[in-house]
Amino acid sequence: MAVEQLLILIKPDGIKKSLTGNILTKLSEARMVIIGAKAVKVGKELAEQHYYHLKDKPFFGELVEYIQGKIYGEPWDRVLAFVYQGEDAISRMRKIAGATNPEEADPVSIRGAYGRITTKGVYENVVHCSSDPAEAEREIKLWFKPEEIVKNIYDTQKIIAEKEEKIIWKQK
Ligand code: IDP
Ligand code: MG
């Protein structure tokens, strides 16, 4: 068994339903370590890149709005993003997350316990969970900068970024 990393997102429906604690408790049963964590207000571009493999599906537009939390609005329109690491992490975490369709998911999985299908047909399934190592690497690199992860998991390179605009804390 290999040590793997994966991206977990607590989607806006999970935030709105105040499920963060319940979800993290369930995930902690797998005894993985968190090596990156942050709150993200998801823009359209990030949402479309994250779900690009579904761009031809009829529900793609609704899905992109869902991951941005558009239907919930302030202060629920955000996700919590985590990078987990552990032995055989992807299949073990997906088992805890449950099947994509919340109606078909094991009732004691996260999606089975907390997910629903909206009247518009969107699967509000509370969490995202990478499904294989290649997807996990693509997603972790999409959502996190190297310095936001406490371990060096992928090769990095140093560049000198000139005239890069940056927001820093204001000096008192
Ligand atoms: P996954 O999240 O279990 O990996 P994917 O096929 O990658 O499943 O789909 C990404 C997300 O798109 C799902 O988590 C769900 O929110 C939504 N989705 C997938 N399939 C359907 C569908 O048939 N109808 C509505 N929404 C779907
Ligand atoms: Mg997927």
Side-chain angles (χ1 to χ4, degrees):
M1 264 189 289
V3 171
E4 295 171 334
Q5 297 82 30
L6 77 156
L7 177 79
I8 298 264
L9 302 175
I10 299 181
K11 294 177 173 181
D13 51 324
I15 310 264
K16 176 148 196 198
K17 291 172 174 171
S18 197
L19 290 171
T20 301
N22 308 48
I23 290 167
L24 294 180
T25 300
K26 270 194 180 283
L27 293 174
S28 72
E29 288 165 16
R31 308 268 185 125
M32 309 271 162
V33 289
I34 293 171
I35 58 172
K38 62 178 176 176
V40 183
K41 196 137 179 168
V42 182
K44 191 163 184 251
E45 199 180 326
L46 175 59
E48 287 177 347
Q49 284 178 16
H50 179 71
Y51 282 133
Y52 87 101
H53 61 294
L54 298 169
K55 64 180 184 313
D56 298 325
K57 299 281 184 194
F59 55 82
F60 183 68
E62 309 265 336
L63 179 61
V64 164
E65 296 217 326
Y66 161 47
I67 197 70
Q68 293 183 88
K70 288 240 167 157
I71 44 172
Y72 311 116
E74 177 80 28
W76 320 114
D77 52 350
R78 62 214 57 198
V79 305
L80 290 173
F82 299 91
V83 180
Y84 277 85
Q85 182 175 53
E87 286 275 333
D88 206 14
I90 296 174
S91 68
R92 288 173 61 207
M93 291 304 233
R94 274 192 78 90
K95 191 159 189 292
I96 296 171
T100 306
N101 180 339
E103 282 183 1
E104 288 169 3
D106 180 337
V108 298
S109 67
I110 294 168
R111 288 166 164 182
Y114 304 126
R116 66 163 189 160
I117 302 178
T118 67
T119 47
K120 282 188 170 174
V122 176
Y123 294 179
E124 286 192 346
N125 54 11
V126 184
V127 286
H128 168 79
C129 192
S130 308
S131 58
D132 61 67
E135 185 183 86
E137 180 171 347
R138 185 188 82 83
E139 291 177 351
I140 291 168
K141 288 178 174 174
L142 178 64
W143 286 82
F144 284 83
K145 294 180 186 149
E147 68 265 25
E148 291 174 325
I149 298 177
V150 297
K151 258 186 113 170
N152 237 340
I153 50 173
Y154 306 123
D155 289 343
T156 54
Q157 66 181 75
K158 221 176 234 175
I159 56 160
I160 296 168
E162 276 177 47
K163 291 193 179 161
E164 193 191 10
E165 209 175 38
K166 246 188 186 174
I167 293 177
I168 60 164
W169 299 118
K170 199 170 178 176
Q171 302 285 316
K172 280 197 177 163

